[in-house]
Amino acid sequence: MELTTIWFLAIALLFTGYFILEGFDFGVGILLPVLGRDDRERRVMINTIGPLWDGNEVWVLTAGGAMFAAFPHWYASLFSGFYLLLFVILLGLIVRGVAFEYRGKGTTDRWRRGWDACLFGGSVLPAFFWGVVVANMVRGVPLDDGFDYTGTVWQLLNGYALLGGLTTLLLFTAHGAFFLHLKTAGDIRERARALGWKLAALTAAPAAAFLIWTQAAHGDALSAILITLCVLSLIGALVLDLLGRGALAFACTAGTVALASAALFAALWPNVLPSTSDPMNSLTHANAAATDKTLGIMTWAAIVFLPVILLYQAWTYWVFRKRVSVNHIPVA
Amino acid sequence: MDVLDLARLQFGVTTVYHFLFVPVTIGLSLLVAILQTLWRTTGKNSYLRATKFWGKLFLINLAMGLVTGIVQEFQFGMNWSDYSRFVGDIFGAPLAFEALLAFFVESTFIGIWIFGWDKLKPSIHLACIWLVAFGTMASAYFILAANAFMQNPVGYQINETAGRAELTDFGAVLTNPVVLAAFPHTIFASWMTAGVVVIAVSAYHFKHERDLDVHRPAMRLGVLTTLVGGVGTAISGDALSKVMTSTQPMKMAAAEALYETTDNAPFSVLTIGSLDGRTGTPVVEIPGLLSYLATGGFGGQVHGIDDLNADYQALYGAGDYAPYIPLTYWSFRLMIGFGMLALAMAAIVWWSTRHGRLPSRRWFWPTVMWMAVTPFLANSFGWIFTEMGRQPWVVFSLFSTEAGISPSVGMRTVALSLAGFTLVYAVLIVIALKLFFKFAKAGPPSEEDALASASGPSDDPDKPMAFAY
């Protein structure tokens, strides 16, 4: 296999890992005002992801760093072209990250409410705009012969991309509900379960529309298979939740996120950022890539370190495997 | 103001801001690890209380460093896409390595450390904070290696067709003489910074004579860290200035506003007259010191700005190859000056508190607390000097800053994001400082509370978490 193919797969894997892991983090943040009836319940929710969110977020930093190193043109065109979308995502991630650490360090209601709003907003914005970013990446944008974006920010808010954003927003929210079903105990767990299948049902229509649109406009045989499996996986989550099988339902939304992400990258291949103005200006895995020398070094680093990372992150999940209930929350 | 100015301003604002928190993270993670180790080895609960106290302050700082770090990685692509295209083959790899080898370690194990007091065996829990401490240092190495390429490009060749620099020797990139000197310089400065923070916070409690069983050992550790860090910063800074002289002679000349090539060049501590030092009158001057800093000998020859400019014009074509001299001249002095102040303060505190003494003058401890700003100013001026002193290049001798800008990004976009980041950062620093002061003043937890939350794994499934957000 060519090194550029390997690194296309690696970038796809890193983004997919990020969407699976931070997807439920975002979902928990979005559901905070919905499922958390009082401060203690909201703290239960926050503490299910408290020890994990930071490690989950590194996936996107690694994806960004790897994209910079392996496909400098992809990184340069995407980040400069999608500037304001990423700016909004960054603002969301900033206030959300600080909110985790600072929320519990004040005592007034106003203080906690303020940070709850940051957790909610800081989850909604990235959950929606990552969908917009990836959808535009698959759809393609006008690029000039220097691979620079020639459109406006409004062109990035097209129907297809907005539908993509809505899909990730709803899907991550459902994913978060199943995660809470898995990781909490007591009243809140029941409410998470009752909400889970409804959210999955709500996700189904836009997700199916978005994925079928993707398949019709950009798809191939592989993406067709992945999209079919993705839709089945979402239906599976819904059914399993109704049957009270929370852990399996969560595995199914994780699968939905993974398959949707994989389908989008499959639809993107062999491009990395297609040009809609002139196909000659499309960025592909070949013309966007770094040298084989750099890719080779990175490949060795990834082969050695990715398994180690997976091991110790899995260990974290094992350490914090216990369900959290209101009884576990110490009085502030 | 044009797009270039705004993008540079944005990089300056976000980077200097980010680097307020980075040195504290590097230094305090180590100090917290040392305190926790002292608790484990001596069994003295005052060390546990200190670990809890400093751990909390460390986390208030870490949260800010973390979220502002994401902006840094995205910013190269957002504002500097042509720079990213030019250097990506070389510059991206250290960033990716940083994420794979260091950032994953830091972020995963800090989560375990924060929440793991009642989940893990004490020895494993202790290992987590050490991993965080090493992770922050490894992080610093890769980032500085990437920056070193901008100061002194090595291990590359220019591919004319592709219009970019391409990697030929990754080992050379990672052992760039600039990173070999800048890494110890940054780590020592971080220790000094964290040490001064520890001194200043402990000073508050010394002033009120509260919990001295916890704060006296912490003060001693802070003083020791500052002294080691301060002396190390000076020695590594001297080594770095010699590397700089051979790799970027213009920066050295700009540091002194030395226009003509001079043997036995003096170092002016203070100059009055014109801001750029061309017609200035030095007030305090140390003969031969600049030559010593640059070459290692008091009689050594230091090349002047005008001569270097002429050389560069012959090499790279018409243009002005000197940075903005008033800024390099003053930031270099302020970096050294504030660093020296921090070091001197630590020495005075050590002398005044030796053998259990308590200084009695009313102004003593408040002055020490205010001195906490000195290492932050020194760090900021250091980065301003090293980055502004490289101008007009973004990659020295290869690529101009002007050429690195994103062609597709307009004035309004950069202005909007600059305003947005500045506003959010301004609000956040007020909150972060308020929290830091609040918990710094509150002091360590009682021995009872500290022990209760460090009890190790429990069999009771309904026991409340030792720590929860």
Side-chain angles (χ1 to χ4, degrees), chain B residues 444-468:
Chain B
S446 69
E447 189 166 319
E448 228 178 358
D449 288 350
L451 278 173
S453 62
S455 53
S458 140
D459 294 332
D460 177 6
D462 286 328
K463 197 173 171 226
M465 298 159 76
F467 175 86

Side-chain angles (χ1 to χ4, degrees), chain B residues 316-333:
Chain B
Y316 309 120
D320 184 5
Y321 294 94
Y324 183 56
I325 304 299
L327 196 65
T328 50
Y329 179 85
W330 287 107
S331 57
F332 189 64
R333 264 145 202 81

